[in-house]
Amino acid sequence: MAYFIWGAKTVFVSLLIIDVALLALVITITGRTKTPYQQVLPRKKEDPLRALHRIKPNRSAPLVNGWYESCRIRLGDTLMRTNESCLGGIFNDILLVIVYHYPLYDSIPTLTKFYDLAFKKVVICGPQKNDSYPVITVEVKAGHYAYECLGQAIRENPGYAGYMYINDDMIVNWWNLGRFNTNRIWIGSDIELGAEVGKPEPRGNWPWWSKKSPGLMTCGQTIKELENLAETGNMTSLYNIYMNNSRGKRLCRSGLSDFFYVPKRIANEFQIISNIFFRNKVFLEIAVPTILTFLDIELNFEHVYGFYLPKKYGYIDYSNGKLFWTEYNYLPLYFMHPFKLHTNRNRLSEFLFKTYVYYYGDKVSQCSNTVVN
């Protein structure tokens, strides 16, 4: 009897081991070990618009839940309900400049196809030429002097009604920008008073105002050069505008500068002053706000506030796209930063961008009132 019981236990354990092995094999074959992010990728011949509605939230992972719900509700459901239309070519007299801080140009076809829906012309600017795509080359130094890309684009492409600057690592919801006056300067963030030339550096954590940084020194040199030009009769009116905006002080201003727009009426002045700042190697987030205060009274600026993920989550690695897609929406965002497309980790982000963001832009650019199904 004991021998029979021992034999039965042995058979039971053996069968259990076989069942577990078969279950593991099935899970591997069916792909159930995929993460919720991988599951969003469309199956073969599957309508990608339905892909987000297929997966179920992972209750053990709150961040994944939030990300999934965001994608499903903000992207899929909104897209299927939209009936806005006829926004194609909304900026058909505007030149868009997309700036690459590094020569990672693989996303050019994806981005240009998207922005071609709205803009008269899209040009690319970066630190190196490329055999596959036309690129305006500027010594951007990891973005430090990238503003000169807009200056160079204005010189090479005169006559447009306006010039818009964006970086490659952001999404601009161009369909939401029609309410802004294209005859005014647009800024994507508040302009801070910054630092006064010849005075001690402001206290704070921003490294470009520290004594070890050349930020205030190079800006001060540039302001002095422009002041001398004003005294000789050149740029006098522009310098007067600058002093008005600076409350009579020689200020180096500061602010986030991933997005801004310059209208035709002051485009030539921008490219002249930009070149002077560039020659003196003034940092982007000091140069752009300061240059713009030479061109028009600040009260006339249009504030196109975007969503900066670091303002909410801090300066962390955003390359996997999870937090971006948790926050992104077609409406009412004007733009969102940062958005990464350049690594193997971003296959999902590329899919979501092409399937939902581009698809949305394509639909609202068509002149029909058909609801997306």
Side-chain angles (χ1 to χ4, degrees):
M1 184 68 179
Y3 178 82
F4 174 78
I5 294 174
W6 178 87
K9 287 183 178 179
T10 302
V11 171
F12 177 79
V13 172
S14 299
L15 291 173
L16 182 61
I17 293 173
I18 292 172
D19 286 344
V20 171
L22 288 173
L23 179 61
L25 180 62
V26 169
I27 290 174
T28 302
I29 293 174
T30 58
R32 295 194 182 196
T33 56
K34 291 181 179 179
T35 68
Y37 309 110
Q38 292 171 319
Q39 291 177 38
V40 177
L41 295 173
R43 296 167 177 165
K44 187 176 182 180
K45 296 184 179 180
E46 178 183 21
D47 178 2
L49 188 58
R50 308 294 178 180
L52 288 180
H53 297 264
R54 166 169 48 79
I55 64 172
K56 297 179 179 179
N58 182 344
R59 295 183 179 180
S60 64
L63 179 59
V64 174
N65 270 349
W67 182 88
Y68 162 78
E69 287 298 317
S70 172
C71 288
R72 185 178 64 81
I73 295 173
R74 301 184 188 192
L75 301 185
D77 290 353
T78 304
L79 181 55
M80 288 193 289
R81 288 197 307 269
T82 186
N83 59 5
E84 295 183 71
S85 60
C86 220
L87 295 177
I90 187 174
F91 299 114
N92 61 6
D93 52 357
I94 305 296
L95 180 78
L96 176 68
V97 181
I98 304 177
V99 178
Y100 284 74
H101 294 176
Y102 303 94
L104 303 173
Y105 298 134
D106 53 296
S107 63
I108 288 178
T110 300
L111 295 180
T112 54
K113 183 179 180 182
F114 172 63
Y115 292 112
D116 276 340
L117 295 170
F119 291 87
K120 175 72 172 180
K121 183 177 181 180
V122 178
V123 300
I124 305 299
C125 181
Q128 296 178 14
K129 290 189 176 297
N130 184 272
D131 294 335
S132 301
Y133 315 106
V135 176
I136 297 174
T137 55
V138 170
E139 183 195 351
V140 297
K141 193 184 178 183
H144 289 190
Y145 317 126
Y147 52 90
E148 178 61 5
C149 282
L150 190 67
Q152 188 63 27
I154 292 171
R155 296 179 205 111
E156 295 185 10
N157 300 272
Y160 284 85
Y163 300 84
M164 187 179 296
Y165 171 109
I166 69 173
N167 288 321
D168 72 294
D169 62 341
M170 62 193 297
I171 290 180
V172 177
N173 289 346
W174 48 261
W175 48 82
N176 294 329
L177 301 181
R179 62 182 292 269
F180 296 103
N181 188 338
T182 55
N183 200 40
R184 295 185 175 187
I185 291 172
W186 299 2
I187 55 175
S189 179
D190 288 327
I191 295 180
E192 306 294 335
L193 286 177
E196 186 173 358
V197 176
K199 300 291 184 179
E201 294 83 357
R203 294 181 178 180
N205 297 323
W206 201 46
W208 287 94
W209 289 148
S210 70
K211 293 182 179 180
K212 297 180 180 179
S213 167
L216 184 55
M217 179 189 70
T218 56
C219 180
Q221 292 172 347
T222 308
I223 297 298
K224 182 61 179 177
E225 182 175 343
L226 291 168
E227 185 178 36
N228 292 337
L229 288 173
E231 290 175 355
T232 62
N234 296 314
M235 296 192 184
T236 302
S237 61
L238 297 179
Y239 193 79
N240 289 339
I241 293 173
Y242 162 74
M243 292 301 289
N244 184 305
N245 285 325
S246 301
R247 287 76 164 168
K249 299 178 180 180
R250 295 187 301 167
L251 294 179
C252 289
R253 312 297 291 274
S254 62
L256 297 171
S257 303
D258 301 276
F259 171 97
F260 64 96
Y261 167 85
V262 176
K264 178 180 179 179
R265 63 183 178 85
I266 48 179
N268 185 58
E269 287 81 357
F270 176 90
Q271 65 88 11
I272 292 172
I273 299 177
S274 172
N275 188 252
I276 296 173
F277 274 77
F278 175 70
R279 181 160 32 84
N280 287 309
K281 297 295 182 282
V282 183
F283 177 57
L284 172 83
E285 293 181 0
I286 298 174
V288 171
T290 307
I291 292 170
L292 296 181
T293 59
F294 275 86
L295 303 179
D296 201 357
I297 300 300
E298 281 186 74
L299 291 175
N300 295 331
F301 291 5
E302 295 271 13
H303 294 269
V304 186
Y305 293 127
F307 190 113
Y308 285 90
L309 288 171
K311 285 189 174 182
K312 182 172 182 177
Y313 298 103
Y315 289 91
I316 59 176
D317 182 7
Y318 293 98
S319 60
N320 63 20
K322 296 176 186 177
L323 289 175
F324 182 92
W325 294 109
T326 298
E327 299 289 349
Y328 178 79
N329 199 353
Y330 307 113
L331 304 168
L333 285 176
Y334 297 126
F335 66 85
M336 195 162 167
H337 173 85
F339 171 67
K340 305 297 184 180
L341 278 178
H342 298 302
T343 69
N344 292 332
R345 301 174 65 190
N346 295 321
R347 181 170 172 244
L348 179 58
S349 280
E350 183 178 7
F351 160 72
L352 289 173
F353 177 81
K354 290 180 178 179
T355 305
Y356 298 98
V357 182
Y358 174 80
Y359 191 63
Y360 186 90
D362 185 48
K363 287 300 178 184
V364 299
S365 69
Q366 297 175 15
C367 292
S368 68
N369 291 315
T370 303
V371 177
V372 180
N373 294 316

